[in-house]
Amino acid sequence: GIQVEQSPPDLILQEGANSTLRCNFSDSVNNLQWFHQNPWGQLINLFYIPSGTKQNGRLSATTVATERYSLLYISSSQTTDSGVYFCAVAGANSKLTFGKGITLSVRP
Amino acid sequence: ETGVTQTPRHLVMGMTNKKSLKCEQHLGHNAMYWYKQSAKKPLELMFVYSLEERVENNSVPSRFSPECPNSSHLFLHLHTLQPEDSALYLCASSQRLAGGYYEQYFGPGTRLTVT
């Protein structure tokens, strides 16, 4: 199956800083999603982005499918951005495979 | 209610108990999923139902028994669980079209502890 690697595994930021989270995958994909898991376990949809670039407020994402990676950008980070960020991809079988996640801590 | 809901949010059960987890989606989707999230492990897909038919079963032990009575409801029946089954169980839904399955939306999860 498709392998998903996220980096860095942990990230500590000062409030107001910008960051880039990376997701590499091992095969062509039909689906790529970024999620934010809050401290209560809820997975919140950030982007559905199998290719191209999208922006939503302070967050944006770019997927370069031909090079098998996706980037999530967080600008002007806030303490509420803390949590775990997951990248998940699906190939031809449509089965969503998750990476191990990136734990982000934003300090005031 | 909107989105995907799950009940109960927390469950503590003994190894000899029988309990059920419930998931309901209000998004008009036709595919539903159960995932397991254990400490320090990636989310694992357990079951997929599409149009109320099970289309995926990822080698899940028989002590987990899913049920999908209609496209809006999904259950996970639990019996004779082991302590290692303690985890966060997440339900999700998506639309399935001819081209495949699309964006998945998750419920808040059920935190299960097996004693």
Side-chain angles (χ1 to χ4, degrees):
Chain A
I2 296 178
Q3 307 298 310
V4 183
E5 289 189 9
Q6 294 185 245
S7 59
D10 301 282
L11 189 56
I12 299 174
L13 299 176
Q14 204 65 33
E15 197 169 27
N18 303 329
S19 63
T20 301
L21 286 61
R22 187 176 182 101
C23 173
N24 292 334
F25 43 94
S26 61
D27 206 344
S28 58
V29 298
N30 296 329
N31 179 359
L32 189 146
Q33 293 185 244
W34 282 98
F35 297 92
H36 176 211
Q37 188 167 40
N38 66 22
W40 298 272
Q42 171 86 56
L43 277 171
I44 299 164
N45 288 44
L46 298 178
F47 294 102
Y48 171 74
I49 188 166
S51 64
T53 297
K54 291 185 177 180
Q55 180 155 8
N56 184 2
R58 295 182 296 103
L59 302 182
S60 63
T62 295
T63 296
V64 183
T66 52
E67 297 187 21
R68 300 182 183 168
Y69 72 89
S70 183
L71 302 174
L72 177 68
Y73 305 97
I74 304 174
S75 64
S76 304
S77 58
Q78 301 176 357
T79 56
T80 52
D81 295 331
S82 297
V84 184
Y85 289 79
F86 288 101
C87 169
V89 304
N93 67 2
S94 299
K95 173 184 166 181
L96 206 58
T97 300
F98 282 75
K100 293 182 178 179
I102 296 170
T103 301
L104 174 65
S105 298
V106 181
R107 296 180 173 171
Chain B
E1 294 279 13
T2 59
V4 181
T5 58
Q6 290 186 241
T7 54
R9 296 293 308 277
H10 300 271
L11 179 62
V12 179
M13 58 186 290
M15 289 190 285
T16 59
N17 292 157
K18 290 185 180 180
K19 296 287 184 183
S20 296
L21 310 184
K22 179 183 175 182
C23 175
E24 185 173 358
Q25 61 95 4
H26 308 269
L27 299 169
H29 290 160
N30 59 9
M32 297 186 76
Y33 313 76
W34 280 116
Y35 288 85
K36 176 183 178 182
Q37 187 178 29
S38 305
K40 299 183 180 180
K41 291 179 72 175
L43 274 85
E44 303 170 69
L45 178 65
M46 300 175 72
F47 301 103
V48 180
Y49 274 82
S50 175
L51 301 170
E52 299 137 45
E53 178 182 346
R54 191 189 311 178
V55 295
E56 180 115 10
N57 177 346
N58 276 358
S59 303
V60 178
S62 59
R63 56 185 183 270
F64 295 91
S65 175
E67 178 190 1
C68 187
N70 55 61
S71 60
S72 298
H73 294 86
L74 185 65
F75 295 89
L76 188 62
H77 304 298
L78 315 172
H79 63 97
T80 59
L81 294 191
Q82 305 299 310
E84 60 264 29
D85 296 323
S86 298
L88 180 67
Y89 288 85
L90 291 159
C91 173
S93 72
S94 74
Q95 193 65 10
R96 180 187 180 187
L97 300 171
Y101 298 83
Y102 292 88
E103 185 174 7
Q104 291 189 26
Y105 293 83
F106 283 77
T110 296
R111 181 80 58 185
L112 173 66
T113 302
V114 181
T115 60

